[in-house]
Structures are given as structure tokens and as C-alpha cells.
Amino acid sequence: MPETIDKKSSSVGKKVLLKGNEAVAEAAIKAGCDAYFAYPITPQTETAEYFSKRMVDLNRIFIQAESEVAAINMVFGASAAGARVMTSSSSPGISLKQEGISYIAGAELPCVLINVVRGGPGLGNILPSQADYFQTTRGGGHGDYRCITLVPNSIQECYDMTMAAFDLADYYRMPVFILSDGIIGQMVEPFVMHEYSPMFANMPKKDWALTGCKGREPNVVRTLYMSPADGLEQLNRRLFAKYEKIEAEYRDCQQISCDGADLIIIAYGATSRIAKAAIKKLNKNGKKVGLFRPKTVWPWPGPELVELVKNNKKAKFLVIEMSMGQMIEDVKLSLMDVVKKDWIYFYGMGGGWCPTPETICEKVNEVLG
Amino acid sequence: MSSIIKTQPESIADKSTHYCPGCGHGVMLRLIGEVVDELGIREDMILTAPVGCSVILYDYMNCDVIECAHGRAPAVGTAIKRVHPDKFVLVYQGDGDLAAIGTAEIIHAANRGENLSVIFVNNAVYGMTGGQMAPTTLIGQKTTTSPYGRTAKGMGKPIRVCEMMATLEETKYLERTSIHSIRNINKTKAAIKKAFLNQINGIGFSLVEVLSMCPVGWRLSPQEAQGYIESQMIDYFPLGVYKDLEY
Amino acid sequence: MSTEKNVLIAGFGGQGVVMAGNVLAYAAVEAGKNLLATVSYGAEMRGGTARANITISDEEIDSPIVEVPNVAMIMNAPSFAKYIETIEPGSHVIVNSSMIDDELIKSKDGDLKITKVDATNHAIKMGNIKVANIIMLGVLVKTTGIIDRDSIINGLQRAFRKDKKGLYYINVQAFEIGYSTKL
């Protein structure tokens, strides 16, 4: 709600108020984002508006592109040129960007992408949704690839995860998504606006960047490999070796009162906050209910989920999503050998609605009987 | 004469191309290579390659290259130039790339007045996919997707890119040339050089549209293809300078 | 839950609904409280009702979705009609009587503790119609004790420029008038 913040350096370390859509922009700017390209779409437009002023003030690159397609291809170009670069959009716009994201993934270029998910399919509506889970965790565009996907559930995390996204993108040379939604993007909470410090001690040099070939062999950024022998097989194998490494190194989740719980709610993003409110009410009433919250949905924290079951064999599971059920497939895949199929329940909605603590409590009581 | 033929521009890789006999892309490669050498910009240059027959330009040019998605080279080039304003960015596109799938990108890069040099090779056909109708295919011209010849009704008339771009106030230099004869090849080289110098001198968006042969796509011999430009294409796509804001 | 206040501010776009929410939100930060705020967003830029919800609590605020308001500040008749029945019974409601008919207010004056403020007319008297929102905020803060006075002053400092062109001073004045309810 507060549209502007105190941008003097005195804001650093202080609690400030920004929308989620603005916090991701400020974090990007502090993390050294050189260029931002985007096209307006509700409910993420505040990000573009925020950048349009700050980037000009800082003499960095801001272009309101002619389309989502152009914006993602500008990201492709700027990233290839060695810049730290970001774009943001909401579901229909992200669909348009998928071709470009596939090229960026194939060319092993870093970039940060924000999806403030809204209701779909088609134009859907401008209300919050989590129906882009499949798209973001399975690559999204054509070909075999993955994007690291971080899922904030607070404005502090919007800020912190965006900074981390730039480092992860550069470190692993791949696109990194922040999966937000119409609630997280639009809400305001106080958060600490700290300065950026890199998460890796040694960031790899961008010696592949297009800068003109003075003093070196030409650099080529491409995704075309006409024959398998020409390198497509090797590219895909290299990508998947990298993905395996990331799956081992960068899964993240949060667990709240799962020890001894009779029921564990699995939810991410805005839904996990609503679930947490419900769990507090339920716990007060003596119900043993816990929360398992993925903070990364790719890589998927499946091993953590399995470990949780090892320590708590009696727990049933309730997956809550603002969709008709997408993450639940990952849950079922992870738990297929350790949890009875009919112990995994689902509560979701497809109209851009969100659950409330009360409706979650009702659902939990129904499951626990 | 022999002294001209034996030199190979430094900016062109020492390998044979996959272009068909009589194809205009080989001539264009040579002309760009010569101009790059003459201006001494090979090491400061970033080339954005399109999708189409020239997709493998990264194998033929001895400089930094990015292989773009179909039609998106002007958006990619825009970003590279904004990141490296002191480098030379060449945008190379064909007719399907520039005038069909990438119409929005070229129009808006031009409208923003991006300081780019665009080489637009117009051979009136989709060559790489095997000779389909392009946005610049002539009325009556037979292609694999207009087997009875292109008609205005239902297919539209060929798009005249230079004329259309001339209406955008931020374009600085627009010229249509051809490479069907020595005289026209020399004129094309001069136009390319001018477009490159415009960028180097910070003048702004320049585009050279080059009418080029696709003998295989046109089902003609290389000589007949040259004649086709002379007798058919130039009628519809008049050669000349459409805008030159230096003057 | 017991300390949680869910404040609803509603009115026409342009009446300073969002700004009043900003000031309250900044003040809550200054007072060291937790808060979570959302503003209605829709397809239209003008003509609809604007709404801000600010949840203020001493405890962690988990759910980001709007709870049933238990404090409200309503600036025009359409918002009154739209929201009055969504407010928790027994809540304090500050209404702008310059813009809302007495009959309408009376018809809904059931279990709610309604305080009428002639805010728009008073703001006009002060020479700036735009401060009606902060006058009402002053009444709201005084009536509910939701936040201390000093924090609101600090909140006003974060929301308004203090230089010559800035609106800080007139807004402090507006707040004080509401707070002392010298209307």
C-alpha cells in the first residue's frame, strides 16, 4: 500500500513497508540488477512501475517492451551480454515468455523471472492463484530443462529470495523463478531492507559473455545443435547433471510442529500462511496438526518429506493449493512407497479464490474425524 | 581482378558454407566480412543471427555471435546494445524472420530509435524450411504453400518493409538494394558500410533491405534467379534510399 | 488473536483511503507492532470504492487474507452500504457524516459503536478537502486507542514531505483536530 519508501541509505537495516511486487524490485536493484524488461499485467505491474523510476535514477537499463515475447528476448540478449537481468509478469504473460525461457535455459544463461500467479486458464482473472505450479516446476517451454523456483510467503522472503535468485542464476547459469501470487505480490508488511551480500564466496566469471572478441576466441551463444553428434545429447546430459547437483544442494523447506502430528498440511506461498493461522487455532484446540512448507518447489524437497514420514508414521497429509491439484502430484510421487494413498487428502479451489483459516479448520476436522 | 578474389576477410571463418549454389547469403556474408574488416570492428562486434538459412552464421563469422529465436533478433540486439553501447551490434534477418514472425520486434526497435544496424535479406521465400510463402512473396509467385501462386485475396500483398519503416520517425537510414549484379552488389556494400558507420557515429537505427536470390526456393537456375530480381522483384520492391536523415 | 485489530478503511478513490492506510501502517511499524495491509485492486481505476485493510497486532500475523474488520473508517455512502454489514458487531466505526446521510447511518446503527465526524466539511474549512481522511484517522485513533499518538506523528513524517511544498504540517493539524475531537 505505501507506494513509496524512504530511498535514502538510512532505510537500510530499518523496517520498511513495501508491497511484495515492490520488494522484489528493490531487492533486485540492491543485488546489482543491470537491466529490467517487462510488459504491464495485473497483478504484477507495480514491479515494472517501481523499476521504471529507480532504474532511470540509477542510470541502469529499463525498457517497457512491446510484448512479453520481446521482453524475454531482451532478457536473453542482456544476459548473453553479461548483465544481471530480470523480468516479471503474471500467468498469461509468463506463458508468452516460455519460448524465450527455453532458449535461455538451453543457452545456459542466468536470469531472474518473477511470476505473480493469477487465475487461469486463459485470461482467467486477476485474483491470486497457484495454478502455474506444473508450468514452473516442469520447465514450462519446449525441451528438457528446469528452472530453480523459490517460493516466498512473506515480504521479507520476497526481498531475500530475489537477492538469492540472482546469485543462484549466476552460479548455476540458469533461469531462476520467484513464484509469487496475487496475495504475496499485493500485500504490505514491514521487512528489514538489508544490503546485498553474495551467497557464494566465489561467483564464476562470465567468460562466456558477448563483449566483442578482443584478445580471445569468439564467444557464441546458441541453442541450435543440428545433429545429436553435434552436441545436443551432450548439452542435455550436462544440463541434467547440473540439475541433479542442484537437487542435492539447494532443496529448501520449513517444518512447523510436525513432530507427533496426526495431520500434516503441505502448502506453499500465500496458502502456507493461511494454513499456519489455521494450525495455530487447531493446536489451541488440542489438535495435533503440523505444516510442511516447500520454500523451493524445484528442486522439490521430497527427501525431507520422506524423512518426516520416517519419524512420524501415523501422520495423514492434507495438500492445500489454490488450484485443482498440481503440487499434490509431487507429494504423491514422493510418498508413494511410504504413505497409504488414501492418507493424502486435497483441498483446493480453481476460481481465483483462496482458502480461509476457518475453511481449512473445517477440512482438517473432516479428515481427522 | 585476381587480387580481389584471393583475399579472405579476417572476420569470415575459413570454411565452406552450407548455402545452395547461387544463394545470396554467401554474397552477403562476403560483403559484411569486407565491411567489418575495412572498419576494423571485428573485435568490437556482436552479431545477432536469425532463424532461417543464415541461422548458422556463428560458424561463418569470426566474431561474437548470438543465435536468436525466430524473429527476435531486434529485441535481443536492443538489449545487447543497451548493455554495451560502445560495441557494434549487427542484426541480420531474413524476410520470414523480420516481416512475419518478428514484425513487432523490428517495428518497436526502430520506433525506439535503437542505435542498431539491421541487414534484411529479402528473398521472397522461406528457404530453410523448403520454399514456403513469405510475407514478401510476389503476387502470382508459386511456393510450396501457395502452389497456385500468391493471390492478394486471402494472402495479402507482399509487405514493403522500407516504405513501412519510413513512416517511423526514429528510423534514420533506410535503403533497398539488390545483389543480382556486380553493380548492385557494389551498391549494397556501400549501403552496408553506411548503416554500420551510422551506428558507430551514434546516428541511430539503420536498415538495409537487400533483394537476394533463392534459386532453389524459386525453382530457377542461379542465372535465372538473378534475372527474376531484375525483371520481377524490383518492379514491386523499387531500389533506392527511403530515408537518410544525415542529409 | 485477542490483540489483533483488523481495520477497514473505505471510500471513493481520491478520498485518501490508501493514504490513511499508509499513515496507520507506518505508525504501526513505528510503534513496533506487526502489521499486514492489503488494498483492493480491480479492473477500474476510477468510479469504484477504494478499500484498505490493515491488520495490526502484537503477535505474529499469519494469514494474509482479510479477516472480519473489527474497526472501520468509512468515508462515503456507497462504501457504508457495501461494508457496514461485514463489520464485526460491537466494533467502533468512524463515519464521514459530511458524505453519509443521517437516515442511512441510523438504519444500520445496530450493534456498532458509530462515531459521526463531519470530516469533509471540516477539511474544507481548513482549506484542504484532502485532509478529511486524516481528521477521521485522528478520531479513530482517539476512540480505539489502536496506536499511540506519537507513533502516528512519526507515521505522518514517513508519509508526507516536511518541506514547504509538503503536506506534513496540515496533516498533523488535521490529525490533532480529530484526535482532540474539537470538531
Side-chain angles (χ1 to χ4, degrees):
Chain A
M1 157 194 327
E3 291 96 2
T4 57
I5 61 154
D6 180 5
K7 293 180 190 80
K8 291 174 301 226
S9 55
S10 61
S11 299
V12 172
K14 223 174 107 175
K15 279 205 165 174
V16 297
L17 288 176
L18 285 181
K19 277 187 177 183
N21 286 342
E22 296 161 337
V24 295
E26 186 58 34
I29 289 162
K30 287 224 164 44
C33 178
D34 302 297
Y36 170 86
F37 310 98
Y39 188 85
I41 181 170
T42 307
Q44 71 82 42
T45 304
E46 293 85 359
T47 308
E49 289 174 341
Y50 196 92
F51 269 110
S52 69
K53 181 168 194 313
R54 293 279 278 137
M55 295 300 259
V56 171
D57 292 348
L58 292 165
N59 205 20
R60 298 190 201 172
I61 302 162
F62 169 86
I63 298 179
Q64 180 173 326
E66 59 270 29
S67 67
E68 301 282 5
V69 176
I72 193 66
N73 281 282
M74 289 173 186
V75 169
F76 181 50
S79 178
R84 278 200 151 180
V85 57
M86 174 168 136
T87 186
S88 58
S89 190
S90 178
S91 309
I94 295 290
S95 292
L96 279 167
K97 288 186 199 291
Q98 290 298 348
E99 179 206 37
I101 296 168
S102 170
Y103 279 72
I104 292 167
E108 293 185 87
L109 294 175
C111 72
V112 174
L113 310 159
I114 316 260
N115 184 1
V116 185
V117 183
R118 58 185 254 183
L123 272 180
N125 62 28
I126 58 176
L127 295 168
S129 168
Q130 294 181 321
D132 294 358
Y133 181 92
F134 283 152
Q135 190 191 52
T136 192
T137 56
R138 268 67 177 169
H142 59 284
D144 266 334
Y145 69 92
R146 296 289 184 272
C147 301
I148 294 175
T149 304
L150 313 179
V151 201
N153 82 348
S154 66
I155 308 306
Q156 187 72 56
E157 282 189 355
C158 284
Y159 186 82
D160 295 346
M161 284 182 174
T162 303
M163 284 188 169
F166 278 94
D167 289 347
L168 290 165
D170 279 351
Y171 190 78
Y172 293 112
R173 284 183 61 181
M174 63 189 285
V176 178
F177 261 106
I178 301 288
L179 193 64
S180 176
D181 62 56
I183 293 175
I184 299 292
Q186 291 295 327
M187 75 185 198
V188 174
E189 321 179 278
F191 70 101
V192 180
M193 204 170 74
H194 53 78
E195 281 296 356
Y196 164 74
S197 66
M199 66 188 289
F200 299 101
N202 295 309
M203 292 299 276
K205 273 200 182 130
K206 295 185 173 181
D207 50 10
W208 42 264
L210 306 177
T211 57
C213 63
K214 192 165 278 173
R216 59 163 169 77
E217 285 298 300
N219 281 338
V220 174
V221 172
R222 63 159 165 162
T223 58
L224 180 71
Y225 298 89
M226 285 296 273
S227 68
D230 191 26
L232 190 58
E233 185 69 30
Q234 289 95 313
L235 170 71
N236 276 311
R237 288 189 184 278
R238 188 168 71 247
L239 288 179
F240 273 74
K242 177 159 77 181
Y243 298 158
E244 218 169 278
K245 190 165 173 273
I246 296 165
E247 283 182 318
E249 287 173 354
Y250 203 70
R251 297 188 312 266
D252 201 4
C253 63
Q254 185 189 20
Q255 300 180 28
I256 298 171
S257 53
C258 288
D259 285 345
D262 295 320
L263 183 129
I264 293 167
I265 293 174
I266 305 178
Y268 69 91
T271 312
S272 68
R273 290 277 296 261
I274 305 167
K276 198 176 158 194
I279 288 167
K280 278 189 182 170
K281 283 185 185 179
L282 290 159
N283 288 350
K284 262 186 200 161
N285 294 331
K287 304 266 182 186
K288 289 181 182 170
V289 182
L291 175 69
F292 181 88
R293 168 170 82 102
K295 292 168 80 173
T296 58
V297 287
W298 194 91
W300 167 250
E304 284 71 19
L305 201 50
V306 172
E307 190 63 28
L308 197 156
V309 173
K310 273 188 196 159
N311 300 326
N312 183 353
K313 291 196 171 60
K314 66 174 174 113
K316 292 179 175 177
F317 290 86
L318 173 61
V319 179
I320 306 179
E321 299 178 73
M322 291 187 283
S323 75
M324 298 308 288
Q326 299 191 7
M327 178 177 69
I328 191 169
E329 293 197 2
D330 279 336
V331 172
K332 283 180 176 171
L333 279 170
S334 295
L335 299 182
M336 61 193 281
D337 295 330
V338 288
V339 172
K340 275 187 277 181
K341 210 173 151 191
D342 55 2
W343 276 26
I344 301 171
Y345 297 82
F346 180 70
Y347 173 45
M349 55 277 299
W353 304 110
C354 50
T356 66
E358 290 72 29
T359 58
I360 291 175
C361 288
E362 277 169 30
K363 186 74 190 175
V364 168
N365 288 327
E366 192 185 307
V367 170
L368 290 178
Chain B
M1 283 297 279
S2 61
S3 67
I4 296 170
I5 295 163
K6 76 179 181 191
T7 50
Q8 161 101 353
E10 194 194 356
S11 52
I12 297 179
D14 190 12
K15 60 175 77 167
S16 54
T17 71
H18 72 296
Y19 297 133
C20 308
C23 170
H25 280 300
V27 178
M28 291 305 298
L29 178 65
R30 174 78 194 199
L31 292 181
I32 289 168
E34 287 181 6
V35 174
V36 167
D37 277 16
E38 286 164 22
L39 297 175
I41 55 176
R42 183 184 74 87
E43 294 183 323
D44 293 317
M45 169 174 172
I46 298 152
L47 167 66
T48 71
V51 166
C53 289
S54 44
V55 68
I56 306 177
L57 265 177
Y58 52 77
D59 265 353
Y60 307 149
M61 288 293 292
N62 195 9
C63 66
D64 278 11
V65 183
I66 182 166
E67 172 49 53
C68 305
H70 201 15
R72 318 298 174 216
V76 175
T78 291
I80 295 172
K81 186 69 183 179
R82 296 282 189 109
V83 173
H84 298 307
D86 54 334
K87 304 291 176 191
F88 178 78
V89 179
L90 172 59
V91 177
Y92 189 99
Q93 296 193 267
D95 40 57
D97 201 73
L98 182 142
I101 199 165
T103 318
E105 282 77 8
I106 192 66
I107 294 284
H108 287 275
N111 196 49
R112 286 190 302 266
E114 300 293 343
N115 188 21
L116 295 170
S117 311
V118 182
I119 304 299
F120 166 39
V121 179
N122 176 2
N123 60 13
V125 78
Y126 283 80
M128 198 187 208
T129 44
Q132 293 75 34
M133 186 179 73
T136 50
T137 292
L138 296 179
I139 294 294
Q141 189 179 335
K142 288 179 180 172
T143 71
T144 62
T145 52
S146 58
Y148 303 110
R150 181 175 187 162
T151 54
K153 194 180 177 191
M155 302 182 200
K157 289 190 176 176
I159 292 175
R160 294 187 180 101
V161 168
C162 278
E163 289 85 334
M164 181 174 69
M165 303 284 279
T167 67
L168 302 174
E169 294 193 9
E170 288 300 315
T171 54
K172 294 298 191 292
Y173 170 55
L174 301 166
E175 180 167 358
R176 183 180 292 123
T177 66
S178 174
I179 50 170
H180 70 286
S181 70
I182 300 296
R183 193 173 62 88
N184 281 291
I185 288 172
N186 287 336
K187 276 190 171 179
T188 298
K189 183 176 170 184
I192 292 170
K193 197 166 199 170
K194 185 177 170 65
F196 284 20
L197 280 168
N198 275 359
Q199 182 181 158
I200 291 163
N201 296 327
I203 287 169
F205 188 91
S206 303
L207 179 144
V208 181
E209 174 177 349
V210 182
L211 303 185
S212 176
M213 300 73 70
C214 182
V216 176
W218 298 349
R219 314 275 189 273
L220 298 173
S221 74
Q223 287 92 336
E224 288 168 343
Q226 290 169 332
Y228 185 77
I229 291 181
E230 178 75 43
S231 64
Q232 306 287 319
M233 280 185 84
I234 290 175
D235 266 0
Y236 189 83
F237 296 113
L239 305 183
V241 176
Y242 286 84
K243 192 185 276 187
D244 190 351
L245 290 186
E246 248 190 318
Y247 295 131
Chain C
M1 286 299 165
S2 55
T3 67
E4 197 167 289
K5 292 287 180 199
N6 301 304
V7 184
L8 165 74
I9 303 176
F12 276 134
Q15 275 189 309
V17 166
V18 173
M19 183 48 91
N22 281 358
V23 172
L24 189 57
Y26 282 133
V29 176
E30 292 290 326
K33 289 181 184 289
N34 294 312
L35 84 106
L36 194 147
T38 54
V39 175
S40 60
Y41 66 96
E44 69 282 295
M45 291 285 286
R46 292 284 182 276
T49 51
R51 172 182 63 75
N53 290 80
I54 301 103
T55 301
I56 298 172
S57 178
D58 291 326
E59 288 152 41
E60 197 183 349
I61 301 167
D62 296 310
S63 174
I65 55 167
V66 174
E67 300 276 342
V68 175
N70 54 19
V71 176
M73 174 176 138
I74 298 182
M75 298 191 69
N76 71 344
S79 305
F80 186 87
K82 188 171 176 183
Y83 293 114
I84 196 71
E85 279 167 5
T86 70
I87 299 161
E88 195 176 291
S91 304
H92 282 288
V93 181
I94 318 301
V95 299
N96 182 6
S97 54
S98 323
M99 307 281 283
I100 308 170
D101 207 55
D102 231 24
E103 291 301 309
L104 183 62
I105 296 172
K106 264 184 202 155
S107 70
K108 302 288 178 187
D109 199 354
D111 296 327
L112 297 166
K113 295 171 194 154
I114 291 185
T115 308
K116 289 186 280 186
V117 185
D118 193 14
T120 303
N121 289 333
H122 206 85
I124 292 168
K125 270 183 224 158
M126 283 179 70
N128 190 338
I129 192 171
K130 285 186 173 176
V131 300
N133 59 344
I134 303 298
I135 294 174
M136 289 183 70
L137 188 67
V139 178
L140 183 142
V141 169
K142 181 71 178 185
T143 316
T144 62
I146 190 168
I147 291 268
D148 64 288
R149 182 188 159 280
D150 289 352
S151 296
I152 292 279
I153 300 296
N154 290 336
L156 286 165
Q157 268 185 48
R158 283 176 76 157
F160 295 105
R161 279 166 55 180
K162 240 180 166 178
D163 58 18
K164 251 190 232 166
K165 281 187 188 167
L167 292 167
Y168 170 72
Y169 294 102
I170 190 167
N171 275 292
V172 169
Q173 211 188 330
F175 173 76
E176 295 290 13
I177 284 168
Y179 191 77
S180 59
T181 52
K182 285 179 194 155
L183 288 169

